[in-house]
Amino acid sequence: MPAKIEIHNTLKPARKIYAYVDFEDLEIVEKHRWYIRKHQGILYPMAHICNRSFDTKMTSGAMAIGRFLVNPEKGKFVSYLDGNPFNCIRENIIVTDSPNTKKEESKSKLE
């Protein structure tokens, strides 16, 4: 059974919303404050992530849990086999060369 993490909900009506990750990813995911953000009409669990590269340039930006966990190459897309970006167990996350149309077909289901 995957681990459940609470996502900060700014939507109305306010209610508890959770995302699911593998237990081995729980410690690193819990270091960030996750919130809900709409991107291209789909809700995602996101966090503001800061990274320091080898040349000491600081980069930062909003990143979905799935992308954070698999860290794909630049230009690659992250998709979810079941179409649910709140189901972030690794066996549900795939990296592709193009956007997955499944995401548009099945809008995020919040549990």
Coordinates of all heavy atoms in Angstrom, one line a residue, residues 2 10 17-18 20 23-24 28 33 44 57 60-61 65-66 75 81 84-86 88 91 93-94 96 110:
P2 N 0.6 2.2 -0.8 CA 1.4 3.4 -0.9 C 1.2 4.3 0.3 O 0.2 4.2 1.0 CB 0.9 4.1 -2.2 CG -0.4 3.6 -2.5 CD -0.5 2.2 -1.9
T10 N -6.3 24.9 -1.6 CA -6.8 26.3 -1.6 C -8.1 26.4 -2.4 O -8.6 27.5 -2.7 CB -5.7 27.2 -2.3 OG1 -5.4 26.7 -3.6 CG2 -4.5 27.3 -1.5
I17 N -7.2 16.8 0.8 CA -6.8 16.2 -0.4 C -5.5 15.5 -0.2 O -4.6 16.0 0.4 CB -6.8 17.2 -1.6 CG1 -8.1 17.8 -1.8 CG2 -6.2 16.6 -2.9 CD1 -8.2 18.9 -2.8
Y18 N -5.3 14.3 -0.8 CA -4.1 13.5 -0.6 C -3.5 13.1 -1.9 O -4.3 12.9 -2.9 CB -4.4 12.3 0.2 CG -4.9 12.6 1.6 CD1 -6.3 12.7 1.8 CD2 -4.0 12.8 2.6 CE1 -6.7 13.0 3.1 CE2 -4.5 13.1 3.9 CZ -5.9 13.2 4.1 OH -6.3 13.5 5.4
Y20 N -0.6 10.1 -3.4 CA 0.0 8.8 -2.9 C 1.4 8.6 -3.6 O 1.6 8.9 -4.8 CB -0.9 7.7 -3.3 CG -2.3 7.8 -2.6 CD1 -3.3 8.5 -3.2 CD2 -2.4 7.2 -1.4 CE1 -4.5 8.7 -2.5 CE2 -3.6 7.4 -0.7 CZ -4.7 8.1 -1.3 OH -5.8 8.3 -0.6
F23 N 6.5 4.3 -0.3 CA 7.1 4.5 1.0 C 8.5 5.0 0.9 O 9.0 5.8 1.7 CB 7.0 3.3 1.9 CG 5.6 3.2 2.6 CD1 4.7 2.3 2.2 CD2 5.3 4.1 3.6 CE1 3.5 2.3 2.8 CE2 4.1 4.1 4.2 CZ 3.2 3.1 3.8
E24 N 9.3 4.4 -0.1 CA 10.7 4.8 -0.2 C 10.9 6.3 -0.7 O 11.9 6.9 -0.5 CB 11.5 3.9 -1.1 CG 10.9 3.7 -2.5 CD 10.0 2.5 -2.6 OE1 9.5 2.0 -1.5 OE2 9.7 2.1 -3.7
I28 N 11.7 12.2 1.1 CA 12.1 13.3 0.3 C 10.9 14.1 -0.1 O 11.0 15.4 -0.2 CB 12.9 12.8 -1.0 CG1 13.5 14.0 -1.6 CG2 12.0 12.0 -1.9 CD1 14.6 13.7 -2.6
R33 N 6.4 21.5 0.7 CA 5.0 21.8 1.0 C 4.3 21.7 -0.3 O 4.5 22.6 -1.2 CB 4.8 23.2 1.6 CG 3.4 23.5 2.0 CD 3.4 24.8 2.8 NE 2.0 25.0 3.3 CZ 1.2 25.9 2.8 NH1 1.6 26.7 1.8 NH2 0.0 26.1 3.3
Y44 N -2.9 19.4 -10.4 CA -1.7 18.7 -10.1 C -1.3 19.0 -8.6 O -1.4 20.2 -8.2 CB -0.5 19.1 -11.0 CG -0.7 18.6 -12.4 CD1 -1.3 19.3 -13.4 CD2 -0.2 17.3 -12.8 CE1 -1.4 18.9 -14.7 CE2 -0.3 16.9 -14.1 CZ -0.9 17.7 -15.0 OH -1.1 17.2 -16.3
K57 N 24.5 28.3 -10.2 CA 23.3 29.0 -10.6 C 22.1 28.4 -9.9 O 21.9 27.2 -9.9 CB 23.1 29.0 -12.1 CG 24.1 29.8 -12.9 CD 23.8 29.8 -14.3 CE 24.8 30.5 -15.1 NZ 24.6 30.4 -16.6
S60 N 14.7 27.7 -9.9 CA 13.6 27.3 -9.1 C 12.3 27.4 -9.9 O 12.3 28.0 -11.0 CB 13.4 28.3 -7.9 OG 13.1 29.6 -8.3
G61 N 11.3 26.7 -9.5 CA 10.0 26.8 -10.2 C 9.0 25.8 -9.6 O 9.4 24.9 -8.7
I65 N 4.7 16.5 -8.3 CA 5.3 15.4 -7.6 C 5.9 14.3 -8.5 O 7.0 13.9 -8.3 CB 4.3 14.7 -6.6 CG1 3.9 15.6 -5.5 CG2 5.0 13.4 -6.0 CD1 2.9 15.1 -4.5
G66 N 5.1 14.0 -9.5 CA 5.6 12.9 -10.5 C 6.9 13.3 -11.1 O 7.9 12.6 -11.2
G75 N 12.8 18.5 -21.8 CA 12.0 18.3 -23.0 C 11.2 17.0 -23.0 O 10.4 16.7 -23.9
L81 N -0.1 6.5 -15.8 CA -0.8 5.4 -16.5 C -2.3 5.4 -16.3 O -3.1 5.1 -17.2 CB -0.2 4.1 -16.1 CG 1.2 3.8 -16.6 CD1 1.7 2.5 -16.1 CD2 1.3 3.8 -18.1
N84 N -4.2 9.8 -13.3 CA -4.4 10.6 -12.1 C -3.1 11.1 -11.5 O -2.3 10.3 -11.0 CB -5.1 9.7 -11.0 CG -5.3 10.4 -9.7 OD1 -5.0 11.5 -9.6 ND2 -6.0 9.7 -8.8
P85 N -2.8 12.4 -11.7 CA -1.5 12.9 -11.2 C -1.4 12.9 -9.7 O -0.3 13.3 -9.1 CB -1.4 14.3 -11.8 CG -2.8 14.7 -12.1 CD -3.6 13.4 -12.3
F86 N -2.4 12.5 -8.9 CA -2.3 12.4 -7.5 C -1.9 11.0 -7.1 O -1.6 10.7 -5.9 CB -3.6 12.8 -6.8 CG -3.9 14.3 -6.9 CD1 -4.4 14.8 -8.0 CD2 -3.6 15.1 -5.8 CE1 -4.6 16.2 -8.1 CE2 -3.8 16.4 -5.9 CZ -4.3 17.0 -7.0
C88 N 1.1 9.0 -7.4 CA 2.5 9.2 -7.8 C 3.4 8.0 -7.3 O 4.5 8.2 -7.0 CB 3.0 10.5 -7.2 SG 2.2 11.9 -7.8
E91 N 5.3 3.0 -10.3 CA 4.8 2.2 -11.3 C 3.7 2.8 -12.1 O 3.4 2.4 -13.2 CB 4.4 0.8 -10.8 CG 3.2 0.8 -9.9 CD 2.8 -0.5 -9.4 OE1 3.7 -1.3 -9.2 OE2 1.6 -0.7 -9.2
I93 N 3.9 6.2 -13.0 CA 4.5 7.3 -13.7 C 5.4 6.9 -14.9 O 6.2 5.9 -14.7 CB 5.4 8.1 -12.7 CG1 4.6 8.6 -11.5 CG2 6.1 9.3 -13.4 CD1 5.5 9.2 -10.4
I94 N 5.1 7.5 -16.0 CA 6.0 7.2 -17.2 C 6.5 8.5 -17.8 O 5.9 9.5 -17.6 CB 5.2 6.4 -18.3 CG1 3.9 7.2 -18.7 CG2 4.8 5.0 -17.8 CD1 3.2 6.6 -19.9
T96 N 7.7 10.3 -21.3 CA 7.4 10.2 -22.7 C 8.0 11.3 -23.5 O 8.5 12.3 -22.9 CB 5.9 10.1 -23.0 OG1 5.3 11.4 -22.6 CG2 5.2 9.0 -22.3
L110 N -9.9 13.8 -7.4 CA -9.4 14.1 -6.1 C -10.1 13.2 -5.1 O -11.3 13.0 -5.1 CB -9.7 15.6 -5.7 CG -9.1 16.6 -6.6 CD1 -9.4 18.0 -6.1 CD2 -7.6 16.4 -6.7

